[in-house]
Every structure is written in structure tokens, then in C-alpha cells.
mmCIF file of all heavy atoms in Angstrom:
data_model
loop_
_atom_site.group_PDB
_atom_site.id
_atom_site.type_symbol
_atom_site.label_atom_id
_atom_site.label_comp_id
_atom_site.label_asym_id
_atom_site.label_seq_id
_atom_site.Cartn_x
_atom_site.Cartn_y
_atom_site.Cartn_z
ATOM 1 N N TYR A 1 -8.814 -73.298 45.473
ATOM 2 C CA TYR A 1 -9.705 -73.921 44.519
ATOM 3 C C TYR A 1 -11.224 -73.598 44.891
ATOM 4 O O TYR A 1 -11.485 -73.494 46.104
ATOM 5 C CB TYR A 1 -9.576 -75.447 44.536
ATOM 6 C CG TYR A 1 -8.151 -75.876 44.217
ATOM 7 C CD1 TYR A 1 -7.279 -76.118 45.232
ATOM 8 C CD2 TYR A 1 -7.740 -76.075 42.944
ATOM 9 C CE1 TYR A 1 -5.915 -76.502 44.961
ATOM 10 C CE2 TYR A 1 -6.428 -76.469 42.623
ATOM 11 C CZ TYR A 1 -5.550 -76.692 43.677
ATOM 12 O OH TYR A 1 -4.277 -77.076 43.365
ATOM 13 N N VAL A 2 -11.997 -73.548 43.876
ATOM 14 C CA VAL A 2 -13.406 -73.497 44.149
ATOM 15 C C VAL A 2 -13.900 -74.872 44.602
ATOM 16 O O VAL A 2 -13.297 -75.897 44.261
ATOM 17 C CB VAL A 2 -14.161 -73.052 42.818
ATOM 18 C CG1 VAL A 2 -14.130 -74.142 41.739
ATOM 19 C CG2 VAL A 2 -15.618 -72.586 43.129
ATOM 20 N N ASP A 3 -14.978 -74.860 45.414
ATOM 21 C CA ASP A 3 -15.346 -76.102 46.030
ATOM 22 C C ASP A 3 -15.668 -77.199 45.068
ATOM 23 O O ASP A 3 -15.410 -78.411 45.321
ATOM 24 C CB ASP A 3 -16.613 -75.851 46.846
ATOM 25 C CG ASP A 3 -16.335 -75.120 48.227
ATOM 26 O OD1 ASP A 3 -15.144 -75.037 48.544
ATOM 27 O OD2 ASP A 3 -17.300 -74.681 48.770
ATOM 28 N N SER A 4 -16.183 -76.832 43.863
ATOM 29 C CA SER A 4 -16.604 -77.855 42.899
ATOM 30 C C SER A 4 -15.435 -78.681 42.325
ATOM 31 O O SER A 4 -15.648 -79.735 41.751
ATOM 32 C CB SER A 4 -17.388 -77.208 41.762
ATOM 33 O OG SER A 4 -16.656 -76.210 41.079
ATOM 34 N N VAL A 5 -14.227 -78.117 42.386
ATOM 35 C CA VAL A 5 -13.050 -78.839 41.882
ATOM 36 C C VAL A 5 -12.086 -79.267 42.949
ATOM 37 O O VAL A 5 -11.113 -79.922 42.644
ATOM 38 C CB VAL A 5 -12.351 -78.002 40.779
ATOM 39 C CG1 VAL A 5 -13.348 -77.516 39.754
ATOM 40 C CG2 VAL A 5 -11.564 -76.863 41.389
ATOM 41 N N GLU A 6 -12.335 -78.810 44.149
ATOM 42 C CA GLU A 6 -11.419 -79.195 45.250
ATOM 43 C C GLU A 6 -11.207 -80.717 45.356
ATOM 44 O O GLU A 6 -12.201 -81.452 45.322
ATOM 45 C CB GLU A 6 -11.983 -78.676 46.573
ATOM 46 C CG GLU A 6 -11.093 -78.935 47.805
ATOM 47 C CD GLU A 6 -9.848 -78.121 47.825
ATOM 48 O OE1 GLU A 6 -9.916 -76.901 47.652
ATOM 49 O OE2 GLU A 6 -8.783 -78.689 48.038
ATOM 50 N N GLY A 7 -9.995 -81.155 45.425
ATOM 51 C CA GLY A 7 -9.698 -82.528 45.520
ATOM 52 C C GLY A 7 -9.541 -83.257 44.177
ATOM 53 O O GLY A 7 -9.100 -84.413 44.164
ATOM 54 N N ARG A 8 -10.018 -82.625 43.149
ATOM 55 C CA ARG A 8 -9.935 -83.188 41.822
ATOM 56 C C ARG A 8 -8.958 -82.534 40.907
ATOM 57 O O ARG A 8 -8.256 -83.124 40.100
ATOM 58 C CB ARG A 8 -11.277 -83.213 41.137
ATOM 59 C CG ARG A 8 -12.339 -83.969 41.949
ATOM 60 C CD ARG A 8 -13.665 -84.106 41.090
ATOM 61 N NE ARG A 8 -14.233 -82.823 40.772
ATOM 62 C CZ ARG A 8 -14.415 -82.356 39.560
ATOM 63 N NH1 ARG A 8 -14.067 -83.097 38.520
ATOM 64 N NH2 ARG A 8 -15.015 -81.159 39.386
ATOM 65 N N PHE A 9 -8.819 -81.185 41.020
ATOM 66 C CA PHE A 9 -7.925 -80.392 40.211
ATOM 67 C C PHE A 9 -6.761 -79.950 41.027
ATOM 68 O O PHE A 9 -6.848 -79.741 42.220
ATOM 69 C CB PHE A 9 -8.649 -79.093 39.690
ATOM 70 C CG PHE A 9 -9.716 -79.365 38.649
ATOM 71 C CD1 PHE A 9 -10.182 -80.697 38.365
ATOM 72 C CD2 PHE A 9 -10.304 -78.317 37.987
ATOM 73 C CE1 PHE A 9 -11.191 -80.882 37.460
ATOM 74 C CE2 PHE A 9 -11.282 -78.528 36.997
ATOM 75 C CZ PHE A 9 -11.727 -79.796 36.745
ATOM 76 N N SER A 10 -5.653 -79.778 40.317
ATOM 77 C CA SER A 10 -4.426 -79.273 40.958
ATOM 78 C C SER A 10 -3.751 -78.255 40.038
ATOM 79 O O SER A 10 -3.416 -78.600 38.878
ATOM 80 C CB SER A 10 -3.481 -80.461 41.269
ATOM 81 O OG SER A 10 -2.283 -79.944 41.894
ATOM 82 N N ILE A 11 -3.560 -77.043 40.553
ATOM 83 C CA ILE A 11 -2.869 -76.014 39.796
ATOM 84 C C ILE A 11 -1.422 -76.012 40.211
ATOM 85 O O ILE A 11 -1.096 -76.158 41.400
ATOM 86 C CB ILE A 11 -3.560 -74.663 39.963
ATOM 87 C CG1 ILE A 11 -2.982 -73.593 39.048
ATOM 88 C CG2 ILE A 11 -3.525 -74.205 41.421
ATOM 89 C CD1 ILE A 11 -3.712 -72.270 39.030
ATOM 90 N N SER A 12 -0.528 -75.763 39.218
ATOM 91 C CA SER A 12 0.900 -75.672 39.498
ATOM 92 C C SER A 12 1.565 -74.707 38.567
ATOM 93 O O SER A 12 0.923 -74.267 37.569
ATOM 94 C CB SER A 12 1.574 -77.078 39.420
ATOM 95 O OG SER A 12 1.420 -77.619 38.117
ATOM 96 N N ARG A 13 2.764 -74.419 38.833
ATOM 97 C CA ARG A 13 3.482 -73.439 37.928
ATOM 98 C C ARG A 13 4.949 -73.746 37.927
ATOM 99 O O ARG A 13 5.509 -74.375 38.851
ATOM 100 C CB ARG A 13 3.245 -71.995 38.375
ATOM 101 C CG ARG A 13 3.844 -71.666 39.739
ATOM 102 C CD ARG A 13 3.343 -70.312 40.258
ATOM 103 N NE ARG A 13 3.794 -69.201 39.419
ATOM 104 C CZ ARG A 13 3.218 -68.014 39.389
ATOM 105 N NH1 ARG A 13 2.147 -67.738 40.183
ATOM 106 N NH2 ARG A 13 3.628 -67.064 38.608
ATOM 107 N N ASP A 14 5.587 -73.339 36.871
ATOM 108 C CA ASP A 14 6.993 -73.474 36.710
ATOM 109 C C ASP A 14 7.503 -72.055 36.369
ATOM 110 O O ASP A 14 7.350 -71.582 35.249
ATOM 111 C CB ASP A 14 7.386 -74.442 35.641
ATOM 112 C CG ASP A 14 8.892 -74.703 35.531
ATOM 113 O OD1 ASP A 14 9.629 -73.846 36.003
ATOM 114 O OD2 ASP A 14 9.272 -75.749 34.935
ATOM 115 N N ASN A 15 8.081 -71.396 37.350
ATOM 116 C CA ASN A 15 8.525 -70.006 37.135
ATOM 117 C C ASN A 15 9.744 -69.886 36.239
ATOM 118 O O ASN A 15 10.011 -68.834 35.740
ATOM 119 C CB ASN A 15 8.784 -69.330 38.467
ATOM 120 C CG ASN A 15 7.527 -69.062 39.256
ATOM 121 O OD1 ASN A 15 6.450 -69.056 38.701
ATOM 122 N ND2 ASN A 15 7.683 -68.829 40.565
ATOM 123 N N THR A 16 10.460 -70.961 36.015
ATOM 124 C CA THR A 16 11.602 -70.940 35.127
ATOM 125 C C THR A 16 11.166 -71.042 33.655
ATOM 126 O O THR A 16 11.927 -70.651 32.763
ATOM 127 C CB THR A 16 12.615 -72.084 35.425
ATOM 128 O OG1 THR A 16 12.011 -73.338 35.026
ATOM 129 C CG2 THR A 16 12.956 -72.083 36.889
ATOM 130 N N LYS A 17 9.898 -71.475 33.445
ATOM 131 C CA LYS A 17 9.419 -71.648 32.060
ATOM 132 C C LYS A 17 8.245 -70.711 31.791
ATOM 133 O O LYS A 17 7.727 -70.801 30.668
ATOM 134 C CB LYS A 17 9.012 -73.092 31.854
ATOM 135 C CG LYS A 17 10.138 -74.106 31.971
ATOM 136 C CD LYS A 17 9.732 -75.502 31.776
ATOM 137 C CE LYS A 17 10.851 -76.469 31.883
ATOM 138 N NZ LYS A 17 10.354 -77.870 31.702
ATOM 139 N N ASN A 18 7.797 -69.995 32.733
ATOM 140 C CA ASN A 18 6.595 -69.120 32.566
ATOM 141 C C ASN A 18 5.420 -69.971 32.149
ATOM 142 O O ASN A 18 4.651 -69.598 31.253
ATOM 143 C CB ASN A 18 6.864 -67.986 31.592
ATOM 144 C CG ASN A 18 7.795 -66.928 32.120
ATOM 145 O OD1 ASN A 18 8.350 -67.007 33.173
ATOM 146 N ND2 ASN A 18 7.917 -65.874 31.302
ATOM 147 N N MET A 19 5.201 -71.057 32.881
ATOM 148 C CA MET A 19 4.126 -72.002 32.563
ATOM 149 C C MET A 19 3.279 -72.177 33.798
ATOM 150 O O MET A 19 3.761 -72.199 34.931
ATOM 151 C CB MET A 19 4.693 -73.322 32.126
ATOM 152 C CG MET A 19 5.443 -73.286 30.804
ATOM 153 S SD MET A 19 4.388 -73.033 29.395
ATOM 154 C CE MET A 19 3.495 -74.647 29.358
ATOM 155 N N VAL A 20 2.001 -72.306 33.585
ATOM 156 C CA VAL A 20 1.056 -72.710 34.648
ATOM 157 C C VAL A 20 0.273 -73.858 34.128
ATOM 158 O O VAL A 20 -0.055 -73.935 32.944
ATOM 159 C CB VAL A 20 0.183 -71.543 35.032
ATOM 160 C CG1 VAL A 20 -0.604 -70.966 33.931
ATOM 161 C CG2 VAL A 20 -0.746 -71.912 36.201
ATOM 162 N N TYR A 21 -0.039 -74.799 34.995
ATOM 163 C CA TYR A 21 -0.723 -76.026 34.624
ATOM 164 C C TYR A 21 -1.948 -76.235 35.424
ATOM 165 O O TYR A 21 -2.113 -75.721 36.547
ATOM 166 C CB TYR A 21 0.234 -77.206 34.779
ATOM 167 C CG TYR A 21 1.557 -77.050 34.179
ATOM 168 C CD1 TYR A 21 2.641 -76.591 34.861
ATOM 169 C CD2 TYR A 21 1.705 -77.390 32.823
ATOM 170 C CE1 TYR A 21 3.878 -76.478 34.265
ATOM 171 C CE2 TYR A 21 2.948 -77.224 32.215
ATOM 172 C CZ TYR A 21 4.021 -76.778 32.935
ATOM 173 O OH TYR A 21 5.306 -76.630 32.366
ATOM 174 N N LEU A 22 -2.876 -77.040 34.873
ATOM 175 C CA LEU A 22 -4.059 -77.462 35.640
ATOM 176 C C LEU A 22 -4.232 -78.947 35.391
ATOM 177 O O LEU A 22 -4.574 -79.385 34.267
ATOM 178 C CB LEU A 22 -5.291 -76.670 35.244
ATOM 179 C CG LEU A 22 -6.530 -77.029 36.034
ATOM 180 C CD1 LEU A 22 -6.322 -76.458 37.490
ATOM 181 C CD2 LEU A 22 -7.799 -76.360 35.407
ATOM 182 N N GLN A 23 -3.888 -79.749 36.384
ATOM 183 C CA GLN A 23 -4.106 -81.191 36.350
ATOM 184 C C GLN A 23 -5.535 -81.486 36.743
ATOM 185 O O GLN A 23 -5.920 -81.115 37.856
ATOM 186 C CB GLN A 23 -3.160 -81.912 37.232
ATOM 187 C CG GLN A 23 -3.343 -83.463 37.238
ATOM 188 C CD GLN A 23 -3.068 -84.075 35.926
ATOM 189 O OE1 GLN A 23 -2.057 -83.777 35.299
ATOM 190 N NE2 GLN A 23 -3.926 -84.978 35.411
ATOM 191 N N MET A 24 -6.314 -82.082 35.893
ATOM 192 C CA MET A 24 -7.745 -82.291 36.178
ATOM 193 C C MET A 24 -7.971 -83.819 36.199
ATOM 194 O O MET A 24 -7.773 -84.480 35.197
ATOM 195 C CB MET A 24 -8.605 -81.688 35.093
ATOM 196 C CG MET A 24 -8.390 -80.152 34.933
ATOM 197 S SD MET A 24 -9.524 -79.401 33.770
ATOM 198 C CE MET A 24 -9.055 -80.247 32.267
ATOM 199 N N ASN A 25 -8.382 -84.310 37.339
ATOM 200 C CA ASN A 25 -8.729 -85.704 37.503
ATOM 201 C C ASN A 25 -10.157 -85.916 37.826
ATOM 202 O O ASN A 25 -10.849 -84.970 38.210
ATOM 203 C CB ASN A 25 -7.815 -86.329 38.602
ATOM 204 C CG ASN A 25 -6.358 -86.182 38.340
ATOM 205 O OD1 ASN A 25 -5.895 -86.361 37.234
ATOM 206 N ND2 ASN A 25 -5.595 -85.904 39.399
ATOM 207 N N SER A 26 -10.608 -87.135 37.678
ATOM 208 C CA SER A 26 -11.995 -87.475 38.023
ATOM 209 C C SER A 26 -12.957 -86.508 37.366
ATOM 210 O O SER A 26 -13.886 -85.997 38.008
ATOM 211 C CB SER A 26 -12.183 -87.511 39.549
ATOM 212 O OG SER A 26 -11.305 -88.472 40.167
ATOM 213 N N LEU A 27 -12.745 -86.303 36.104
ATOM 214 C CA LEU A 27 -13.547 -85.281 35.403
ATOM 215 C C LEU A 27 -14.993 -85.740 35.312
ATOM 216 O O LEU A 27 -15.361 -86.881 35.176
ATOM 217 C CB LEU A 27 -13.001 -85.053 33.974
ATOM 218 C CG LEU A 27 -11.749 -84.185 33.989
ATOM 219 C CD1 LEU A 27 -10.968 -84.387 32.697
ATOM 220 C CD2 LEU A 27 -12.107 -82.730 34.219
ATOM 221 N N LYS A 28 -15.874 -84.711 35.367
ATOM 222 C CA LYS A 28 -17.288 -84.818 35.281
ATOM 223 C C LYS A 28 -17.844 -84.074 34.112
ATOM 224 O O LYS A 28 -17.265 -83.144 33.649
ATOM 225 C CB LYS A 28 -17.963 -84.338 36.562
ATOM 226 C CG LYS A 28 -17.394 -84.914 37.875
ATOM 227 C CD LYS A 28 -17.991 -84.232 39.116
ATOM 228 C CE LYS A 28 -17.494 -84.836 40.385
ATOM 229 N NZ LYS A 28 -18.043 -84.131 41.565
ATOM 230 N N PRO A 29 -18.991 -84.470 33.639
ATOM 231 C CA PRO A 29 -19.561 -83.734 32.504
ATOM 232 C C PRO A 29 -19.761 -82.215 32.811
ATOM 233 O O PRO A 29 -19.613 -81.397 31.906
ATOM 234 C CB PRO A 29 -20.962 -84.400 32.329
ATOM 235 C CG PRO A 29 -20.706 -85.805 32.753
ATOM 236 C CD PRO A 29 -19.803 -85.691 33.955
ATOM 237 N N GLU A 30 -20.073 -81.893 34.042
ATOM 238 C CA GLU A 30 -20.211 -80.497 34.402
ATOM 239 C C GLU A 30 -18.865 -79.720 34.351
ATOM 240 O O GLU A 30 -18.883 -78.488 34.540
ATOM 241 C CB GLU A 30 -20.891 -80.322 35.791
ATOM 242 C CG GLU A 30 -20.224 -81.166 36.863
ATOM 243 C CD GLU A 30 -20.943 -82.482 37.095
ATOM 244 O OE1 GLU A 30 -21.247 -83.161 36.107
ATOM 245 O OE2 GLU A 30 -21.179 -82.830 38.290
ATOM 246 N N ASP A 31 -17.743 -80.398 34.191
ATOM 247 C CA ASP A 31 -16.512 -79.669 33.964
ATOM 248 C C ASP A 31 -16.330 -79.219 32.546
ATOM 249 O O ASP A 31 -15.372 -78.529 32.251
ATOM 250 C CB ASP A 31 -15.302 -80.622 34.327
ATOM 251 C CG ASP A 31 -15.306 -80.954 35.799
ATOM 252 O OD1 ASP A 31 -15.527 -80.102 36.643
ATOM 253 O OD2 ASP A 31 -15.012 -82.158 36.125
ATOM 254 N N THR A 32 -17.194 -79.594 31.659
ATOM 255 C CA THR A 32 -17.120 -79.262 30.328
ATOM 256 C C THR A 32 -17.189 -77.697 30.218
ATOM 257 O O THR A 32 -18.097 -77.070 30.620
ATOM 258 C CB THR A 32 -18.260 -79.843 29.473
ATOM 259 O OG1 THR A 32 -18.094 -81.273 29.463
ATOM 260 C CG2 THR A 32 -18.262 -79.338 28.011
ATOM 261 N N ALA A 33 -16.177 -77.111 29.515
ATOM 262 C CA ALA A 33 -16.085 -75.684 29.432
ATOM 263 C C ALA A 33 -14.889 -75.339 28.605
ATOM 264 O O ALA A 33 -14.031 -76.229 28.338
ATOM 265 C CB ALA A 33 -15.986 -75.046 30.803
ATOM 266 N N VAL A 34 -14.750 -74.068 28.257
ATOM 267 C CA VAL A 34 -13.474 -73.533 27.745
ATOM 268 C C VAL A 34 -12.748 -73.051 28.943
ATOM 269 O O VAL A 34 -13.272 -72.291 29.736
ATOM 270 C CB VAL A 34 -13.701 -72.434 26.724
ATOM 271 C CG1 VAL A 34 -12.387 -71.854 26.221
ATOM 272 C CG2 VAL A 34 -14.547 -72.957 25.567
ATOM 273 N N TYR A 35 -11.462 -73.471 29.038
ATOM 274 C CA TYR A 35 -10.601 -73.117 30.129
ATOM 275 C C TYR A 35 -9.589 -72.113 29.751
ATOM 276 O O TYR A 35 -8.989 -72.205 28.681
ATOM 277 C CB TYR A 35 -9.909 -74.362 30.690
ATOM 278 C CG TYR A 35 -10.836 -75.242 31.533
ATOM 279 C CD1 TYR A 35 -11.807 -76.021 30.871
ATOM 280 C CD2 TYR A 35 -10.730 -75.295 32.875
ATOM 281 C CE1 TYR A 35 -12.684 -76.791 31.639
ATOM 282 C CE2 TYR A 35 -11.570 -76.119 33.634
ATOM 283 C CZ TYR A 35 -12.520 -76.838 32.989
ATOM 284 O OH TYR A 35 -13.369 -77.605 33.747
ATOM 285 N N TYR A 36 -9.426 -71.115 30.626
ATOM 286 C CA TYR A 36 -8.543 -69.970 30.365
ATOM 287 C C TYR A 36 -7.593 -69.803 31.512
ATOM 288 O O TYR A 36 -7.976 -69.939 32.700
ATOM 289 C CB TYR A 36 -9.320 -68.672 30.211
ATOM 290 C CG TYR A 36 -10.377 -68.647 29.131
ATOM 291 C CD1 TYR A 36 -11.651 -69.133 29.431
ATOM 292 C CD2 TYR A 36 -10.134 -68.140 27.896
ATOM 293 C CE1 TYR A 36 -12.663 -69.078 28.449
ATOM 294 C CE2 TYR A 36 -11.098 -68.105 26.891
ATOM 295 C CZ TYR A 36 -12.386 -68.576 27.189
ATOM 296 O OH TYR A 36 -13.309 -68.539 26.194
ATOM 297 N N CYS A 37 -6.389 -69.387 31.258
ATOM 298 C CA CYS A 37 -5.523 -69.001 32.319
ATOM 299 C C CYS A 37 -5.433 -67.440 32.260
ATOM 300 O O CYS A 37 -5.656 -66.806 31.258
ATOM 301 C CB CYS A 37 -4.090 -69.588 32.225
ATOM 302 S SG CYS A 37 -3.109 -69.085 30.803
ATOM 303 N N LYS A 38 -5.095 -66.859 33.399
ATOM 304 C CA LYS A 38 -5.107 -65.419 33.509
ATOM 305 C C LYS A 38 -4.300 -64.957 34.735
ATOM 306 O O LYS A 38 -4.247 -65.681 35.752
ATOM 307 C CB LYS A 38 -6.501 -64.935 33.642
ATOM 308 C CG LYS A 38 -6.683 -63.466 33.531
ATOM 309 C CD LYS A 38 -8.110 -63.026 33.777
ATOM 310 C CE LYS A 38 -8.290 -61.529 33.652
ATOM 311 N NZ LYS A 38 -7.480 -60.839 34.688
ATOM 312 N N VAL A 39 -3.733 -63.752 34.619
ATOM 313 C CA VAL A 39 -3.173 -63.164 35.822
ATOM 314 C C VAL A 39 -4.316 -62.716 36.706
ATOM 315 O O VAL A 39 -5.211 -62.009 36.267
ATOM 316 C CB VAL A 39 -2.300 -61.945 35.434
ATOM 317 C CG1 VAL A 39 -1.798 -61.231 36.724
ATOM 318 C CG2 VAL A 39 -1.129 -62.350 34.600
ATOM 319 N N VAL A 40 -4.301 -63.093 37.981
ATOM 320 C CA VAL A 40 -5.343 -62.702 38.890
ATOM 321 C C VAL A 40 -4.901 -61.722 39.943
ATOM 322 O O VAL A 40 -5.709 -61.086 40.624
ATOM 323 C CB VAL A 40 -5.969 -63.936 39.599
ATOM 324 C CG1 VAL A 40 -6.684 -64.821 38.534
ATOM 325 C CG2 VAL A 40 -5.025 -64.755 40.364
ATOM 326 N N ARG A 41 -3.576 -61.558 40.124
ATOM 327 C CA ARG A 41 -3.022 -60.549 41.024
ATOM 328 C C ARG A 41 -1.563 -60.349 40.656
ATOM 329 O O ARG A 41 -0.826 -61.261 40.328
ATOM 330 C CB ARG A 41 -3.097 -61.064 42.465
ATOM 331 C CG ARG A 41 -2.695 -59.972 43.444
ATOM 332 C CD ARG A 41 -2.778 -60.520 44.955
ATOM 333 N NE ARG A 41 -2.406 -59.458 45.878
ATOM 334 C CZ ARG A 41 -2.292 -59.635 47.146
ATOM 335 N NH1 ARG A 41 -2.564 -60.888 47.671
ATOM 336 N NH2 ARG A 41 -1.964 -58.686 47.980
ATOM 337 N N GLY A 42 -1.171 -59.058 40.651
ATOM 338 C CA GLY A 42 0.194 -58.696 40.397
ATOM 339 C C GLY A 42 0.270 -57.493 39.463
ATOM 340 O O GLY A 42 -0.111 -56.420 39.869
#
């Protein structure tokens, strides 16, 4: 995680469903953005 979300966000995946998730807690106004998922290695 990037420092700004460490401890607040949690990424997970389900390889049986080809799904990736981002649980976002303790949200702050500075988290406002468009969020994208992407392959980063492979």
C-alpha cells in the first residue's frame, strides 16, 4: 500500500472468480477520486 492509505485500505482477490476488491475504511475527503483496477505485473 501507499503510505497515505496504509492501515485504512485493504486489497484482496478471489482467483476463483477473477475478482479483486478494495475495502476502504476511515475515508477522508482526500480519498475522493476515480478508482481503477489494473494488471500491474504479469
Side-chain angles (χ1 to χ4, degrees):
Y1 303 91
V2 70
D3 286 347
S4 60
V5 309
E6 180 74 48
R8 300 188 298 119
F9 290 10
S10 179
I11 187 172
S12 61
R13 67 192 293 161
D14 185 341
N15 288 344
T16 71
K17 299 179 179 179
N18 288 7
M19 297 286 293
V20 59
Y21 307 96
L22 186 68
Q23 178 67 45
M24 305 185 296
N25 300 321
S26 302
L27 283 162
K28 305 174 180 179
E30 50 263 45
D31 296 319
T32 296
V34 179
Y35 284 73
Y36 303 85
C37 68
K38 188 183 180 300
V39 176
V40 296
R41 186 180 182 185

